[in-house]
Structure formats: C-alpha cells, structure tokens
C-alpha cells in the first residue's frame, strides 16, 4: 500500500495516476449510480403484462392444457392429484429437511485440530443427521405400504 501511495503522490501526469489506480477498483455498491439501479431479484411485485403478452400466455397455457388432455386423458390419478392437492402428496416438514443448513463450519476439519466443544457440536450434528435419515426412511416405508394397500383396493374394485 505504501508503494501505491508513493507512486500516486509522485506521479506527474494523469496517465501515471490512472496506472496506479488500475490496481484498485471500486466495489459494485460504490460505482456511480449503482444505488439507483434495481435488479430483477429485488422486485417482489408481479410483472406487468401487456394485453398482447397476456393473450400469448393464455394461448400457451391453453395449448399446454390441450396437450396434457390428449396425452393423459385416462390418467385419473394424476388429475386427482393436481385437482385436490396441487400436484403434491403432502407438504414436507421444513425443520427436518433444512438440517444441512445447520452444519457446523468446522465439520470438515480434522478431529485433531478441534477442541472439545467443537467435537461435541459435530457429534450432535451427526446425531441429528442420523435421526433425520431414520425419520425419512420410516416415512417412505409408511407411504409405500399405504400405496400398496390402495393399489390392492383398486384392483379389488
């Protein structure tokens, strides 16, 4: 830094000063006018569609519905799932499936470099992972059994 300051202070022309400044750039938030620019990710309101865009979107959706109707007109299970449950069998539990977000920062560090508290946290995290896997396996088996029962009931009818 001292070298850069010295070069800048003793530069006699603007071109020399610009050469020194090329090594240092502004952060994106420091750029001129960056505070006035809005990215698409920051917008939470739905996008305005003109009449032509709405008509094109509706035509595309109608075409998709007719294609699905032609392809799966006898797919009663799929239709029922979409009509009654919006295409999913059940809502997933958020707390069980976000366990990977709680992973300790030092999880991949060799054990020799960790202290007792960190080792204890890693053991607790591993226990949570094991419990989540067991719970998921139990839920999967329950759903498979329920699906088999429903299929046999359907065949009897």
């Amino acid at each position: 830094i001292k070298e850069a300051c010295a070069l800048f202070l003793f530069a006699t022309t603007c071109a020399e000063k610009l050469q020194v400044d090329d090594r240092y750039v502004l952060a994106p938030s420091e750029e001129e006018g960056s505070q006035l620019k809005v990215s698409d990710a920051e917008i939470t309101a739905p996008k305005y569609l003109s009449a032509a865009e709405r008509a094109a979107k509706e035509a595309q959706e109608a075409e998709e519905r007719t294609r699905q109707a032609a392809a799966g007109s006898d797919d009663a299970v799929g239709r029922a799932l979409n009509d009654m449950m919006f295409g999913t069998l059940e809502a997933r539990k958020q707390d069980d499936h976000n366990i990977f977000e709680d992973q300790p920062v030092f999880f991949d560090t060799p054990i020799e470099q960790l202290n007792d508290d960190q080792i204890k946290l890693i053991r607790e995290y591993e226990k949570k992972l094991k419990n989540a896997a067991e719970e998921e396996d139990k839920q999967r088996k329950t759903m498979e059994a329920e699906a088999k029962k429903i299929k046999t009931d359907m065949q009897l009818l």
Side-chain angles (χ1 to χ4, degrees):
I1 294 177
K2 289 181 181 179
E3 287 179 31
C5 289
L7 288 172
F8 184 77
L9 291 175
F10 294 112
T12 56
T13 65
C14 288
E16 289 177 7
K17 288 183 180 181
L18 286 175
Q19 284 180 341
V20 173
D21 289 342
D22 285 345
R23 288 185 277 176
Y24 305 99
V25 295
L26 296 174
S29 62
E30 297 173 330
E31 293 289 333
E32 183 179 346
S34 66
Q35 300 297 325
L36 301 176
K37 295 178 185 173
V38 179
S39 68
D40 289 339
E42 296 175 323
I43 300 172
T44 58
K47 183 180 177 184
Y48 173 76
L49 298 175
S50 65
E53 290 173 326
R54 278 189 299 238
K57 185 177 178 181
E58 289 172 4
Q60 184 180 18
E61 289 174 354
E63 180 182 324
E64 179 68 22
R65 283 192 300 268
T66 56
R67 186 185 62 77
Q68 285 180 351
S73 59
D74 61 337
D75 183 23
V77 175
R79 281 195 325 267
L81 186 62
N82 283 328
D83 290 343
M84 291 186 280
M85 303 184 77
F86 306 106
T88 60
L89 289 176
E90 66 182 46
R92 297 185 78 169
K93 295 178 185 176
Q94 292 298 322
D95 54 341
D96 289 341
H97 297 286
N98 290 337
I99 193 163
F100 295 107
E101 294 176 4
D102 299 337
Q103 180 178 11
V105 177
F106 45 83
F107 185 74
D108 296 328
T109 310
I111 286 192
E112 297 83 29
Q113 298 176 0
L114 301 175
N115 61 30
D116 293 336
D117 291 337
Q118 292 173 334
I119 292 173
K120 185 178 178 183
L121 288 173
I122 287 177
R123 299 288 185 242
E124 289 175 7
Y125 177 72
E126 288 173 345
K127 191 181 291 184
K128 284 182 186 178
L129 282 177
K130 183 179 177 185
N131 289 341
E134 288 174 357
E135 191 68 31
E136 191 173 287
D137 190 43
K138 187 188 310 180
Q139 185 177 10
R140 182 182 49 80
K141 287 180 181 179
T142 303
M143 292 178 87
E144 286 176 353
E146 187 177 339
K148 281 183 183 179
K149 180 183 175 199
I150 291 172
K151 284 183 182 179
T152 56
D153 289 347
M154 286 176 53
Q155 288 176 355
L156 292 175
L157 294 176

